Amino acid sequence: MSVAQPVDIDRQLVDFALISAWMDEKGLPEGEFEDVTELGGGTQNVMLRFTRGGREYVLRRGPKYLRPKSNEVIRREATLLSALNGTEVRAPRVIAACPDDSVIGAVFYLMEPIEGFNPQTTLPELHAGDREIRRGMGLSAVEAIARLGSLDYQALGLGEYGRPDGFLERQVPRWLGELASYSSNEGYPGPEIPGVERVGEWLDRNRPAHWQPGILHGDCHLANIMFSYDGPEVAALVDWEMSTIGDPLLDLGWQLATRPEPGTSGARLFGALGQLGGLPSAAEMVEHYGRFSERDLSAVSWYTVLACFKLGIVLEGTHARAFAGKAPKQVGDFLHAITVELFEQAHRLME
């Protein structure tokens, strides 16, 4: 069967004749590709939504110009999300995956579409007009990561998905090394981050001695969560690029560290939600997490400081690249302002 290529889709991204043959081999419904739409997102990965044979799909692959680890990232995502199929965790449901990059020139997978909105880009009238619904959004996000961290990753076949041994011990040297690498960007004067070494030393001194490995999303702020249009519930956790087997309490620390406070630079990332506020307090978030997890929550502040440390260094990378002309200066300056806020938050928690 010949397949017409949708006019606006680059064959270098997705050749629908090749996709058609692959889907037929997988026994998926045959037919023409209809309603092909490119979806936006928080990453450079490509996502296309389409209908074929009466079934809706979203195809996800790496960017047009693949980075060194792009295929491995998508391959790992497909492995994890396939393992989560059938669990209570709200995540994209994988229909079929192609770990072989020779089919279309990149690893890809097909998943069910998610019916929901991203609060970074929009806030429906229902949510904007009801503070209690916004509070419920924050609590539902906490429940989602608590349920994720409570799964038995070994029973799900994810024993080789990460390296939990030494996970916490690796964090400070790993991210200080990343920060040092930014000096390779021409013109970058070095990190102007308040007390970065002091935060690292505090983290090493106060690191929890005992913890239980589990599945870690790794980047679970509100911009990487889709919410239901008709209520506060999480529709799906998305963008699993930083997922691994580690300490799931870092996901809780991440949500606490990135909780948008109206009037801050960080809140500007979340548009109307960041301006309106109404999310639960940190104490409410921790208490709610405990309803769905048996983990020891006595060191939550440590995990929040680690989240501030790690995310701040990640964002500083764009600031450094901006000096070398590899990113817009305005974006670099904005993300640097968030980095400074994160480290100020870390210092408050340390004290």
Side-chain angles (χ1 to χ4, degrees):
M1 179 182 72
S2 63
V3 177
Q5 181 81 5
V7 176
D8 296 331
I9 304 301
D10 187 339
R11 283 181 186 273
Q12 288 184 276
L13 288 176
V14 175
D15 187 322
F16 279 87
L18 299 176
I19 294 291
S20 174
W22 180 83
M23 291 179 70
D24 292 347
E25 289 178 5
K26 294 292 182 183
L28 296 170
E30 299 183 11
E32 296 296 322
F33 290 85
E34 301 173 327
D35 303 321
V36 180
T37 307
E38 189 162 4
L39 302 178
T43 71
Q44 296 183 49
N45 290 318
V46 173
M47 290 194 294
L48 299 176
R49 182 168 180 164
F50 62 87
T51 301
R52 187 181 190 229
R55 185 173 187 179
E56 290 188 289
Y57 303 86
V58 171
L59 181 149
R60 182 169 167 90
R61 56 149 287 171
K64 179 176 181 179
Y65 301 106
L66 295 172
R67 300 184 292 272
K69 295 184 179 180
S70 291
N71 281 329
E72 182 58 23
V73 166
I74 298 298
R75 193 177 287 118
R76 280 175 56 81
E77 279 187 12
T79 297
L80 177 63
L81 293 176
S82 296
L84 294 180
N85 281 354
T87 71
E88 291 185 342
V89 172
R90 299 195 174 186
R93 300 304 180 194
V94 172
I95 298 169
C98 181
D100 181 359
D101 63 0
S102 68
V103 175
I104 65 167
V107 172
F108 68 93
Y109 60 89
L110 300 178
M111 59 184 172
E112 295 177 356
I114 300 163
E115 300 304 329
F117 69 92
N118 183 326
Q120 185 175 38
T121 57
T122 187
L123 192 66
E125 187 174 334
L126 174 67
H127 301 69
D130 191 328
R131 187 181 185 87
E132 191 58 30
I133 285 185
R134 297 195 299 276
R135 178 176 175 275
M137 291 171 66
L139 296 178
S140 185
V142 166
E143 177 184 344
I145 58 168
R147 290 189 182 279
L148 174 68
S150 296
L151 293 176
D152 184 340
Y153 70 94
Q154 298 276 12
L156 293 174
L158 295 171
E160 303 300 318
Y161 193 75
R163 295 187 298 125
D165 290 346
F167 175 78
L168 293 185
E169 288 82 357
R170 290 194 299 270
Q171 295 304 303
V172 170
R174 160 74 176 86
W175 293 102
L176 286 179
E178 179 75 6
L179 184 62
S181 74
Y182 299 160
S183 295
S184 63
N185 290 281
E186 185 177 353
Y188 179 55
E192 297 178 355
I193 302 174
V196 62
E197 296 286 350
R198 177 171 171 248
V199 175
E201 291 168 0
W202 184 91
L203 286 166
D204 278 339
R205 284 197 314 272
N206 295 279
R207 184 172 53 245
H210 304 287
W211 59 279
Q212 179 184 353
I215 302 171
L216 180 75
H217 179 283
D219 192 20
C220 59
H221 51 73
L222 292 174
N224 283 340
I225 302 177
M226 303 286 286
F227 289 89
S228 171
Y229 284 110
D230 56 7
E233 294 80 15
V234 167
L237 303 174
V238 297
D239 286 343
W240 294 77
E241 294 182 27
M242 294 173 67
S243 61
T244 190
I245 304 302
D247 190 335
L249 287 180
L250 181 53
D251 276 345
L252 176 57
W254 207 268
Q255 286 199 359
L256 292 167
T258 58
R259 177 181 171 275
E261 291 279 1
T264 63
S265 294
R268 289 168 54 197
L269 283 173
F270 298 97
L273 180 61
Q275 294 175 13
L276 291 169
L279 293 167
S281 69
E284 288 176 307
M285 292 169 69
V286 174
E287 190 272 336
H288 198 69
Y289 188 99
R291 296 184 184 182
F292 304 94
S293 173
E294 297 180 354
R295 294 180 183 276
D296 179 2
L297 300 178
S298 61
V300 165
S301 291
W302 186 90
Y303 291 97
T304 310
V305 172
L306 176 59
C308 292
F309 179 83
K310 181 175 177 178
L311 180 56
I313 290 175
V314 169
L315 298 180
E316 183 67 9
T318 302
H319 186 229
R321 289 189 291 275
F323 278 91
K326 301 174 185 176
K329 182 180 184 301
Q330 183 178 3
V331 173
D333 290 346
F334 173 55
L335 295 182
H336 176 71
I338 297 176
T339 292
V340 171
E341 287 180 350
L342 286 167
F343 273 83
E344 289 172 346
Q345 182 181 170
H347 285 292
R348 290 194 297 272
L349 289 167
M350 288 160 51
E351 293 165 0

